[in-house]
Amino acid sequence: MATAYQHLSDYDFDKVPDASAMRIGIVVSEWNQSITEKLLEGACDTLERHGVKQGNIHVAYVPGSFELTFGARQMAEQLELDAVIAIGCVVRGDTPHFDYVCSATTQGVTELNLRYNIPFIFGLLTTDNMQQAEERAGGRYGNKGDEAAITAIKMVDFVCRLKK
């Protein structure tokens, strides 16, 4: 388990680029909302802590994690954004539904990264149970939303540095 070796909210604050001019979209799944709202809160707090203005954080909701890729694409096409973070939570159940949703969402976010010139950040929790999700949404392993926000800032900076 990767989070056994890396706390999701740990990072060197001084190594995060200035994000004051960045515009970030966040598409959030309504499914498992008790988890996704905590992830969203972590992402927004981290973005603001690194200079992203509240008015430059655009949040939109979709029904479930499967719909994250469509929502992320729409945000990229309708808004002038530097990155889009996809936040969701899929908890394993008794059927193969978990595998299909996780695989499709992963492939969808990868496809968006290949088709567009902005980064799409994978903020999807894929856990075996709700306890694992809670541990990664502000619990003992930190907050995946924090990690997604830092990744977005670093990837936008990466793109900007390549353009120079």
Side-chain angles (χ1 to χ4, degrees):
M1 154 180 353
T3 48
Y5 305 108
Q6 176 69 40
H7 193 277
L8 295 167
S9 298
D10 284 348
Y11 61 92
D12 186 342
F13 189 93
D14 296 328
K15 291 188 178 179
V16 179
D18 174 36
S20 59
M22 294 181 186
R23 295 174 45 87
I24 308 293
I26 306 175
V27 60
V28 184
S29 170
E30 294 173 339
W31 194 258
N32 291 319
Q33 193 167 18
S34 64
I35 300 296
T36 60
E37 283 299 316
K38 291 176 187 174
L39 299 174
L40 173 62
E41 182 180 324
C44 289
D45 288 349
T46 299
L47 291 170
E48 289 178 33
R49 196 167 36 253
H50 290 282
V52 180
K53 295 169 188 68
Q54 228 177 21
N56 285 340
I57 301 172
H58 303 273
V59 178
Y61 290 88
V62 295
S65 292
F66 187 82
E67 293 79 25
L68 286 170
T69 53
F70 180 82
R73 186 187 79 186
Q74 290 302 308
M75 288 189 90
E77 290 179 355
Q78 304 299 326
L79 304 170
E80 291 183 32
L81 300 171
D82 297 304
V84 178
I85 300 170
I87 289 179
C89 176
V90 184
V91 179
R92 188 177 301 279
D94 295 330
T95 68
H97 180 76
F98 172 89
D99 299 312
Y100 297 122
V101 172
C102 294
S103 178
T105 305
T106 302
Q107 290 173 354
V109 172
T110 299
E111 184 72 23
L112 291 170
N113 275 299
L114 296 174
R115 290 187 180 264
Y116 289 84
N117 287 322
I118 65 169
F120 290 82
I121 309 305
F122 189 78
L124 180 71
L125 286 180
T126 57
T127 62
D128 289 326
N129 54 56
M130 282 302 281
Q131 179 182 346
Q132 289 178 346
E134 290 166 358
E135 291 173 341
R136 289 156 181 80
R140 73 179 181 145
Y141 290 121
N143 190 316
K144 179 83 172 168
D146 295 341
E147 180 191 53
I150 294 301
T151 301
I153 292 168
K154 288 184 173 184
M155 289 305 295
V156 170
D157 182 67
F158 172 80
V159 171
C160 289
R161 284 186 284 115
L162 288 176
K163 290 180 179 179
K164 291 182 180 179

